[in-house]
Amino acid sequence: CLFALNADKSCSASFEEIEIPNKPPVIDSFTATPEEGLAPLTVTFICSATDSDGSIVSYEFDFGDGSTPVTSDTGTLTYTYETAGQFQAICTAYDNDGANVTSAPVTITVNEPAPSWQDITEGVTVETSRTLYDRINRCFFVYLTLTNVSGSDFSGPVRMVLDSSTLPMSEASTPGIDPDGYTEDGKPYFIIVPDGETWAEGEGLGQIRLDFKRLRKRLDFELRFEAME
């Protein structure tokens, strides 16, 4: 207030309290590590916020998968997504006067785990013929009869793996079944139940012929059975 002192004067002042509105907090950053992976996926969330006229008292995390939001006073939280999907996670920061601000969403992508082979050897019995000799194709061979004794049906694909053998398999064109592929450690496998078919409990699969090279060794081998899960 300004006035000219060109004569005797008097003045007074009155003061009225004005309430300054609370400023909401500001989200500085909201990150998730990792943002993508296979289920179950464990993600670490870090939310950082500041308040120019007060302090941050809590953070609320909504993981976007329908679960109950979780509150933290540190801004760091770890959460595990159990199912596959794409989720929008957000963080809300609250200040000491009750004001809040919500972050932009972070997209979390959770993928289905890749199918893997599960060992079912204990659920399969193997009847093996004596070692026979094919004079025309000049190879040793055996016949196998396989029976599902697991107590439940197996859904294909099911494969038989030649885990070990004293004789290598015949590389010539012979009547025995050929490998459908090789495991990561180089062992031949044979698809005995195709994808989409079922090997019923108690059912036998017979006359499966395996051919081996003719060498002056006794034939001994071990088999492993696996189903895709």
Side-chain angles (χ1 to χ4, degrees), residues 166-202:
T166 55
L167 298 178
M169 295 202 69
S170 174
E171 297 175 354
S173 178
T174 57
I177 60 174
D178 296 322
D180 292 294
Y182 294 84
T183 63
E184 292 182 355
D185 53 357
K187 296 176 180 178
Y189 67 80
F190 314 84
I191 301 296
I192 56 175
V193 181
D195 188 15
E197 296 186 11
T198 299
W199 188 6
E201 196 281 329

Side-chain angles (χ1 to χ4, degrees), residues 133-201:
Y133 180 61
D134 185 334
R135 295 182 180 275
I136 297 176
N137 295 286
R138 300 175 63 82
C139 66
F140 291 122
F141 68 96
V142 293
Y143 283 115
L144 307 176
T145 299
L146 315 175
T147 305
N148 174 5
V149 294
S150 66
S152 60
D153 296 346
F154 290 133
S155 297
V158 176
R159 69 182 185 180
M160 177 178 69
V161 180
L162 184 61
D163 226 5
S164 64
S165 175
T166 55
L167 298 178
M169 295 202 69
S170 174
E171 297 175 354
S173 178
T174 57
I177 60 174
D178 296 322
D180 292 294
Y182 294 84
T183 63
E184 292 182 355
D185 53 357
K187 296 176 180 178
Y189 67 80
F190 314 84
I191 301 296
I192 56 175
V193 181
D195 188 15
E197 296 186 11
T198 299
W199 188 6
E201 196 281 329

Side-chain angles (χ1 to χ4, degrees), residues 9-88:
K9 294 184 178 182
S10 64
C11 66
S12 64
S14 63
F15 298 91
E16 181 180 348
E17 184 178 358
I18 300 175
E19 184 177 349
I20 300 174
N22 177 44
K23 294 181 180 180
V26 175
I27 298 285
D28 297 319
S29 65
F30 178 46
T31 61
T33 306
E35 294 185 5
E36 184 174 0
L38 299 177
L41 180 66
T42 299
V43 180
T44 298
F45 294 96
I46 300 177
C47 188
S48 177
T50 53
D51 186 42
S52 61
D53 59 354
S55 59
I56 304 298
V57 294
S58 65
Y59 297 86
E60 183 182 78
F61 295 86
D62 187 333
F63 307 108
D65 61 350
S67 61
T68 302
V70 178
T71 300
S72 167
D73 57 2
T74 64
T76 300
L77 203 64
T78 297
Y79 180 75
T80 299
Y81 290 88
E82 300 292 345
T83 59
Q86 198 167 66
F87 309 100
Q88 302 294 317

Side-chain angles (χ1 to χ4, degrees), residues 73-134:
D73 57 2
T74 64
T76 300
L77 203 64
T78 297
Y79 180 75
T80 299
Y81 290 88
E82 300 292 345
T83 59
Q86 198 167 66
F87 309 100
Q88 302 294 317
I90 57 174
C91 174
T92 301
Y94 294 85
D95 70 9
N96 57 313
D97 283 323
N100 64 81
V101 63
T102 299
S103 70
V106 173
T107 301
I108 307 299
T109 302
V110 184
N111 301 312
E112 289 282 3
S116 59
W117 291 102
Q118 303 298 316
D119 195 324
I120 59 169
T121 304
E122 291 186 359
V124 179
T125 60
V126 181
E127 295 180 21
T128 307
S129 71
R130 63 185 179 86
T131 302
L132 304 170
Y133 180 61
D134 185 334

